[in-house]
Amino acid sequence: MTYTREQLEALAVVARRHDLIVLSDEIYSELTYEGAHVSMGEVLPERTIVLNGVSKSHAMTGWRIGIAAGPADLIEQVGKVSEFSITCATANAQYAALEAFANGR
């Protein structure tokens, strides 16, 4: 399911009204076949943490490389939690992801 910009803007109104933080899983964003993907991070950047990775976009399923992007103050708090609860991906997986991001699919 991909939401339109208009649908995301309507959700953003609700999030602002109720002082909500949005956690947007956009792992399939590069596999949008009808229309362009619109990120909630574009519509509500001050309140959205976007989750993504390389498993779908770069065919690196199982490599366990994920990304969290958002406002610095929120990402700082995410970092505090993940530092002690998530193990690190292997070095070869990290280098492969770096290559995928730098030089495409």
Side-chain angles (χ1 to χ4, degrees):
M1 172 78 192
T2 300
Y3 291 110
T4 65
R5 178 173 296 278
E6 294 75 25
Q7 290 169 318
L8 292 176
E9 288 171 351
L11 287 170
V13 169
V14 174
R16 283 188 185 102
R17 182 182 314 132
H18 296 285
D19 197 27
L20 301 175
I21 302 296
V22 176
L23 188 60
S24 184
D25 180 357
E26 299 187 18
I27 195 71
Y28 289 100
S29 63
E30 300 300 314
L31 300 176
T32 302
Y33 300 108
E34 293 180 17
H37 170 75
V38 179
S39 173
M40 189 61 160
E42 296 174 43
V43 177
L44 188 65
E46 72 282 4
R47 302 189 144 284
T48 302
I49 297 173
V50 175
L51 302 177
N52 210 320
V54 295
S55 63
K56 309 301 183 231
S57 61
H58 294 82
M60 295 173 67
T61 304
W63 289 63
R64 317 317 283 166
I65 300 292
I67 299 161
D73 58 330
L74 293 177
I75 295 300
E76 181 181 353
Q77 301 308 314
V78 169
K80 289 177 183 177
V81 172
S82 70
E83 183 176 356
F84 298 106
S85 62
I86 300 172
T87 59
C88 186
T90 61
N92 62 327
Q94 292 180 54
Y95 282 118
L98 179 62
E99 179 68 19
F101 284 128
N103 295 305
R105 296 173 181 92

